[in-house]
């Protein structure tokens, strides 16, 4: 029986994993036809589509680069304008500050001059009023002194020149004694 199995195996030397030769040939023909079809029709269309897509992507990248350059230029211009505006605003603030200080100095000077004028005017008015009061007091003190002297002496001092001279001498002595006391 062992011989029978070996003989049967030798007769059938066909491998179940390998197809038969006619199947391999027809499969190869179909493969070559399909390969030719893909090679001549599908592959060039795919290549053209991929090339078009690559060009579109490259074009979009170029546009994006151009837009980015423009944006960077606009940003630099904006930054320069902003720096100029800030510098100008700083200059304007400095000029305004200097003008404000000038105005304040002028107002202080005007106020000082006005205060000096008012003070001088007040001093002049006080001096005038003091002189008027001194004259008024001299006249009244003179009249009182003459009346008092008339009462003490018992005579009437009617001579105005003589009475005035006595009053002036009395007041001069009084002022001299005040100055000596100080």
């Amino acid at each position: 029986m062992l011989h029978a199995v070996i003989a049967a195996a030798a007769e059938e030397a066909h491998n179940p994993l390998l197809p038969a030769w006619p199947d391999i040939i027809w499969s190869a023909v179909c493969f070559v036809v399909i390969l030719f079809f893909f090679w001549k029709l599908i592959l060039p269309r795919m290549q053209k589509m991929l090339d078009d897509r690559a060009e579109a992507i490259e074009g979009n990248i170029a546009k994006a680069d151009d837009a980015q350059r423009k944006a960077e230029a606009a940003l630099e211009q904006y930054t320069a304008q902003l720096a100029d505006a800030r510098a100008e605003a700083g200059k304007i603030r400095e000029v305004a500050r200097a003008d404000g200080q000038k105005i304040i100095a002028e107002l202080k000077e005007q106020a000082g001059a006005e205060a000096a004028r008012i003070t001088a005017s007040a001093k002049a008015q006080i001096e005038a009023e003091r002189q008027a009061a001194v004259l008024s007091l001299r006249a009244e003190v003179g009249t009182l002194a003459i009346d008092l002297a008339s009462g003490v002496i018992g005579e009437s001092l009617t001579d105005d020149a003589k009475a005035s001279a006595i009053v002036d001498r009395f007041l001069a002595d009084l002022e001299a004694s005040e100055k000596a006391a100080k």
Side-chain angles (χ1 to χ4, degrees), residues 124-165:
Q125 185 177 1
I126 289 171
E127 183 60 29
E129 288 178 3
R130 189 184 74 76
Q131 288 295 332
V134 166
L135 289 177
S136 173
L137 283 175
R138 277 187 179 228
E140 285 199 31
V141 167
T143 305
L144 286 174
I146 290 176
D147 288 343
L148 187 59
S150 295
V152 169
I153 296 176
E155 284 185 24
S156 164
L157 299 170
T158 56
D159 185 12
D160 285 337
K162 192 175 187 183
S164 183

Side-chain angles (χ1 to χ4, degrees), residues 89-148:
K91 289 177 185 176
I92 290 171
R93 274 195 306 272
E94 290 301 320
V95 168
R97 195 172 288 134
D99 289 346
Q101 289 175 350
K102 285 180 186 177
I103 290 170
I104 289 172
E106 289 174 2
L107 289 176
K108 284 182 180 179
E109 186 177 314
Q110 288 175 356
E114 185 67 19
R117 184 189 65 78
I118 290 172
T119 303
S121 173
K123 284 182 181 179
Q125 185 177 1
I126 289 171
E127 183 60 29
E129 288 178 3
R130 189 184 74 76
Q131 288 295 332
V134 166
L135 289 177
S136 173
L137 283 175
R138 277 187 179 228
E140 285 199 31
V141 167
T143 305
L144 286 174
I146 290 176
D147 288 343
L148 187 59

